[in-house]
Amino acid sequence: MQSTATISQMAEEARNATAHHVHEARDARELTGSQILCEALIREGVDLMYGYPGGAIMPFYDALTSYPALHHVLVRHEQAAAHAADGYARATGKVGVCVATSGPGATNLVTGLATAFMDSTPIIAITGQVARPFIGRDAFQETDILGVTQPITKHNFLVKRIEDLAEIIHEAFRLARGGRPGPVLIDVPKDVQNAKTLYSASAPISSIEHYRVTRVPHPSATAIEKAAHLIGEARQPLIMCGHGVILSNAYAELQAFAGKTRIPVITTLLGLSAFPETHPLAIGMPGMHGPAHVNRAIGQADLIIGVGLRFDDRVTGKVSEFAPHARFIHIDIDASEMHKVKRAAVPIVADAKAALTALLDAVATGNHDQWLNEIRSWEAQATERGASIERNLECPDPICILEAIRAETGGDAIIVTDVGQHQMWTARHYTWTRPNSHITSGGLGTMGFALPAAMGVKMGLPDATVWVVAGDGGIQMNIQELATLKQQGITVKVAIMNNGFLGMVRQWQHFFHNHNYSETPITGPDYVKLADAYGLTGMQITRRADVQAAVRKAMQTGGTVIIDFVIESEANVYPMVAPGSAITNMIEETAWESED
């Protein structure tokens, strides 16, 4: 039998619900689906989106002119809309939004959605769909975009009833930003956009119980206790931090934890800028192109504390030989990542910030200076060896380009890289000190990402200095977005490392295919003339002595500036680990190879 208090409480809840529905009815207005879409986006705090109109999404664009709070950016290709939304989300921590029509418009978003999915970026993709009576009849520009995107989104929705539209939009935003973030797609048939129903701005958000994300658990007290015990026993431990530290804004907690335990810190490609590389405990990036001293340290470690990372194959190399003497503490918000690559002695399913906070209280003050000094001695040996190699001092060198950008920006720029050799040079040789200043496509490795993503970064953080670093292959994949930058008055600075090759593919051909450079030489436009054609500023630099002055001039020139740095055509990224090899088995630069 229920207590009187419980019955009274239920009665009060019923009265409140009745009052809410009465208020909601008074507040309701008859709106079209397109208007409801705009209203719900504004309610979610959206003020910027990227897209391209077309037939099936046209009612939404018709309504959009009545909502000046929603700034729409007309890109030149839908893939760029997804990448721009991705860059905006990574820079701001908000949910990025992109829009496309049905059929080819929707499928052009797919690469951007897969990029966001692999790197855990929260974006909402809104696509038009043919009217409901035509779905499944091979209508003009019909594509089953739900079927296409199911593997590369956290969830996707087909809006079958206008009455569900607002709730679906709010639920999609909650899903995108909740737990491990990621992309969500909403497919809206054209007749749903045109239909009308009552809409109330006071209606509750996210009442679709079926799709609710499981609440992120607090770190297990038992797991924290076990982890603290392992940390106390370790003699050669390493902290390996990934993108999860950035997503959870756990910068201070990571520094405090590393400082208390005195454990050296490694940052993965997507973890770069999570921990300042000027910190005395920072030792570098691991994996296929990680410096020798970092990979050697992993090979000798007795404990790896992985924070917010997937143990990707480019990090581990041959899994059975990755940290063969180490036990693993794995912290990740996604339970499915546990034991997927390396079995964790202590799995901690939790947000990185919460887990590090708990560990900080549980661990004793440590001292691993002897271990750190040993790693530093390996680093010094590699530095001395590298300095002894004779180099081409005439043409621009990737490292001097990166040093010039850092010097002229004071290290305060946000660097958005494309994918290829330049990406690895930047990851390795730019000194990351500003939190969340490194933005790249890591998991999918999407060429053409950088230019539109930088547009999103700059529009999300208008006061930031944003540099694109790209290769001459990747920059041409979405180069049409220079027109968008010009039309929107967006200022980004673009450094092209131009070697006349698809450089990373050529490098693999060099080492693993007997120098057979099949379909990797690539030509491009005159970037100075191209910039001028778009109404932008362009420069070409062919001498190393001119690099610093060119970067300074770019910083002093208003608007978007493109610098074509003509680098050595067959320069390689070193070290390099052959696919399938242990990361301690590295191909290193030699004087003989440099002369060759």
Side-chain angles (χ1 to χ4, degrees):
M1 184 176 181
Q2 291 179 317
S3 66
T4 304
T6 303
I7 294 171
S8 299
Q9 183 180 4
M10 291 174 64
E12 179 65 21
E13 289 175 355
R15 283 193 295 272
N16 290 339
T18 301
H20 172 79
H21 288 307
V22 170
H23 175 74
E24 184 180 328
R26 290 173 183 166
D27 185 45
R29 298 170 291 154
E30 187 177 59
L31 298 178
T32 66
S34 296
Q35 290 171 321
I36 290 170
L37 185 49
C38 293
E39 295 273 352
L41 289 172
I42 290 171
R43 198 171 174 206
E44 286 290 345
V46 175
D47 56 11
L48 179 65
M49 66 184 74
Y50 301 87
Y52 204 99
I57 196 66
M58 204 175 297
F60 169 70
Y61 278 88
D62 186 57
L64 195 59
T65 58
S66 299
Y67 291 89
L70 294 172
H71 179 184
H72 179 276
V73 176
L74 176 64
V75 296
R76 301 309 189 260
H77 191 285
E78 291 90 348
Q79 181 183 336
H83 290 327
D86 188 330
Y88 172 87
R90 295 195 204 207
T92 65
K94 300 176 183 177
V95 178
V97 179
C98 57
V99 185
T101 193
S102 63
T107 57
N108 280 345
L109 293 176
V110 167
T111 297
L113 292 175
T115 301
F117 184 73
M118 289 289 282
D119 290 350
S120 303
T121 305
I123 66 174
I124 298 293
I126 299 167
T127 53
Q129 183 55 276
V130 300
R132 287 171 291 180
F134 294 98
I135 294 176
R137 297 186 179 183
D138 293 331
F140 176 68
Q141 291 194 333
E142 181 194 358
T143 297
D144 176 12
I145 198 62
L146 266 66
V148 170
T149 61
Q150 186 177 12
I152 55 169
T153 54
K154 283 187 73 175
H155 193 75
N156 54 26
F157 296 91
L158 173 64
V159 183
K160 297 179 180 179
R161 302 187 331 129
I162 186 174
E163 293 81 6
D164 298 332
L165 178 58
E167 287 186 275
I168 286 174
I169 293 164
H170 296 312
E171 186 67 9
F173 273 84
R174 199 187 61 76
L175 283 166
R177 65 168 71 96
R180 179 177 178 172
V184 177
L185 181 137
I186 308 169
D187 200 31
V188 191
K190 189 171 184 177
D191 60 324
V192 172
Q193 297 172 54
N194 284 323
K196 292 184 177 181
T197 193
L198 292 177
Y199 170 78
S200 172
S202 62
I205 289 179
S206 299
S207 60
I208 304 176
E209 294 292 337
H210 179 66
Y211 298 112
R212 288 198 174 277
V213 175
T214 304
R215 187 180 298 276
V216 177
H218 292 292
S220 159
T222 301
I224 293 297
E225 183 180 352
K226 289 181 179 178
H229 179 72
L230 285 184
I231 292 167
E233 286 186 332
R235 294 295 172 265
Q236 293 178 254
L238 295 170
I239 297 168
M240 188 178 294
C241 69
H243 196 203
V245 173
I246 294 171
L247 291 172
S248 65
N249 194 30
Y251 308 106
E253 290 76 12
L254 177 61
Q255 287 195 51
F257 174 68
K260 184 175 182 179
T261 58
R262 296 290 298 166
I263 297 176
V265 178
I266 292 170
T267 43
T268 67
L269 177 65
L270 286 177
L272 291 172
S273 74
F275 191 81
E277 292 191 333
T278 51
H279 193 287
L281 291 170
I283 62 171
M285 184 183 82
M288 179 171 279
H289 294 291
H293 68 278
V294 174
N295 289 342
R296 185 175 178 183
I298 292 170
Q300 297 197 19
D302 60 6
L303 179 68
I304 302 286
I305 305 164
V307 187
L309 77 164
R310 299 179 290 116
F311 292 108
D312 176 81
D313 59 291
R314 292 299 173 96
V315 167
T316 64
K318 187 176 182 179
V319 174
S320 62
E321 296 184 32
F322 176 75
H325 311 297
R327 303 182 75 180
F328 288 81
I329 298 168
H330 192 180
I331 300 168
D332 201 285
I333 201 168
D334 186 352
S336 71
E337 292 297 336
M338 298 301 164
H339 316 301
K340 190 167 78 174
V341 178
K342 296 293 290 188
R343 182 153 194 86
V346 183
I348 303 175
V349 181
D351 176 78
K353 192 181 189 79
L356 288 170
T357 299
L359 275 176
L360 185 61
D361 291 337
V363 296
T365 301
N367 187 334
H368 298 286
D369 288 354
Q370 183 176 347
W371 168 230
L372 178 62
N373 290 338
E374 187 174 8
I375 297 171
R376 292 298 185 207
S377 70
W378 301 334
E379 182 180 20
Q381 291 168 20
T383 301
E384 183 179 356
R385 182 175 173 279
S388 68
I389 296 172
E390 184 179 346
R391 303 181 187 282
N392 181 341
L393 300 178
E394 294 299 320
C395 66
D397 172 75
I399 297 175
C400 79
I401 294 167
L402 296 166
E403 289 175 344
I405 292 172
R406 178 167 172 81
E408 293 300 323
T409 62
D412 196 42
I414 297 176
I415 311 296
V416 187
T417 64
D418 216 85
V419 172
Q421 286 181 312
H422 66 276
Q423 180 190 32
M424 293 299 105
W425 280 317
T426 307
R428 280 286 319 279
H429 299 293
Y430 190 87
T431 304
W432 306 100
T433 52
R434 171 176 171 158
N436 196 24
S437 58
H438 175 249
I439 293 176
T440 196
S441 169
L444 196 65
T446 305
M447 291 175 68
F449 170 82
L451 192 63
M455 174 167 56
V457 171
K458 182 63 177 179
M459 296 188 78
L461 300 175
D463 294 331
T465 298
V466 179
W467 273 84
V468 168
V469 180
D472 50 320
I475 195 67
Q476 294 187 67
M477 286 194 168
N478 273 311
I479 203 164
Q480 75 284 340
E481 297 312 314
L482 291 174
T484 313
L485 291 167
K486 177 62 178 179
Q487 182 175 352
Q488 293 290 322
I490 301 166
T491 294
V492 298
K493 312 302 180 182
V494 182
I496 301 171
M497 294 189 183
N498 185 351
N499 58 10
F501 277 101
L502 300 177
M504 187 58 84
V505 185
R506 183 211 57 77
Q507 179 167 332
W508 280 50
Q509 291 171 334
H510 172 95
F511 287 117
F512 312 123
H513 296 276
N514 197 30
H515 295 73
N516 183 18
Y517 295 161
S518 173
E519 299 304 320
T520 46
I522 186 172
T523 62
D526 181 323
Y527 291 102
V528 177
K529 290 181 178 178
L530 183 73
D532 184 61
Y534 279 112
L536 306 172
T537 302
M539 293 180 271
Q540 185 183 71
I541 304 301
T542 59
R543 300 191 321 136
R544 180 180 300 205
D546 298 330
V547 167
Q548 189 89 29
V551 173
R552 182 176 300 120
K553 182 178 178 181
M555 290 293 295
Q556 294 170 347
T557 302
T560 292
V561 179
I562 302 165
I563 312 178
D564 176 18
F565 289 106
V566 181
I567 67 171
E568 187 177 354
S569 62
E570 295 190 50
N572 290 321
V573 180
Y574 291 101
M576 182 180 186
V577 176
S581 297
I583 61 169
T584 50
N585 183 20
M586 291 163 278
I587 301 169
E588 297 191 66
E589 185 176 18
T590 68
W592 181 85
E593 288 174 348
S594 177
E595 291 166 4
D596 184 56

